[in-house]
Amino acid sequence: MMPSPHPFPTQANVTKFYGPHGVKNGFSPPTKTIKLPFPIYYDGTAVTKLRPHEKCADRLLSVFRRLASAFPAEAARRAAGILTYDGLYNPRPMRNGTAWSMHSWAIAIDFNANANKNEAHWPVKAVMPIEVMECFAAEGWTSAGAFWSRDAMHAQATQP
């Protein structure tokens, strides 16, 4: 399902491919604004544009177009959990670690965190639909739920 050749690096080669990560109140990686085909909601506020890293922005926009096609009605999007947006860019270490989070490069996105927490294993406890993960995979994004069986809220622009 992943594109070949793969458009993104392995997680070990993120800095080589994307450049330096962002720093809170300091450097931010180069981003590109994308206009979403449908609004998503962060704490109840509509979000119609995102600013992912410029090297993965077009692919993320394609993911959203795939999601719009797979879930054409707002009710279907709500049921899939893709209207609840929980973040993209956040320069910080990984949870419970010292390595930098993929969010630090603006190359990772989270949806419906309450139902798909990091420790909730997919598909046992997490509820992210496989169709959502397939939309990400088709554009080269790694869905954590599909590849690591946990953290189903999270997708990142790296190889698995």
Side-chain angles (χ1 to χ4, degrees):
M1 169 149 317
M2 289 273 188
S4 181
H6 201 285
F8 303 124
T10 61
Q11 194 164 311
N13 291 312
V14 163
T15 301
K16 183 177 179 182
F17 183 81
Y18 289 108
H21 59 76
V23 177
K24 189 172 183 164
N25 300 319
F27 173 78
S28 296
T31 59
K32 177 180 176 182
T33 300
I34 58 172
K35 184 172 181 346
L36 304 177
F38 57 89
I40 55 179
Y41 298 87
Y42 184 84
D43 284 340
T45 301
V47 175
T48 59
K49 297 176 184 175
L50 293 175
R51 295 190 52 168
H53 194 288
E54 65 185 9
K55 288 189 174 183
C56 65
D58 292 341
R59 292 276 186 161
L60 184 58
L61 180 56
S62 292
V63 168
F64 273 93
R65 288 178 177 146
R66 287 176 184 275
L67 290 169
S69 178
F71 303 96
E74 184 175 345
R77 293 175 190 147
R78 185 176 299 106
I82 59 173
L83 294 183
T84 304
Y85 167 61
D86 293 297
L88 175 71
Y89 177 62
N90 184 6
R92 62 169 175 79
M94 286 185 192
R95 300 208 192 292
N96 303 316
T98 56
W100 284 92
S101 165
M102 298 297 104
H103 290 283
S104 300
W105 283 269
I107 63 168
I109 190 167
D110 292 337
F111 290 101
N112 201 11
N114 286 337
N116 297 289
K117 297 181 190 280
N118 188 4
E119 64 277 354
H121 288 272
W122 184 87
V124 179
K125 290 186 179 182
V127 297
M128 183 63 68
I130 187 71
E131 295 85 0
V132 172
M133 296 182 203
E134 289 171 340
C135 289
F136 277 95
E139 294 299 328
W141 285 66
T142 297
S143 176
F147 287 93
W148 301 303
S149 78
R150 61 173 188 77
D151 201 13
M153 68 177 158
H154 179 89
Q156 62 187 46
T158 66
Q159 293 182 37

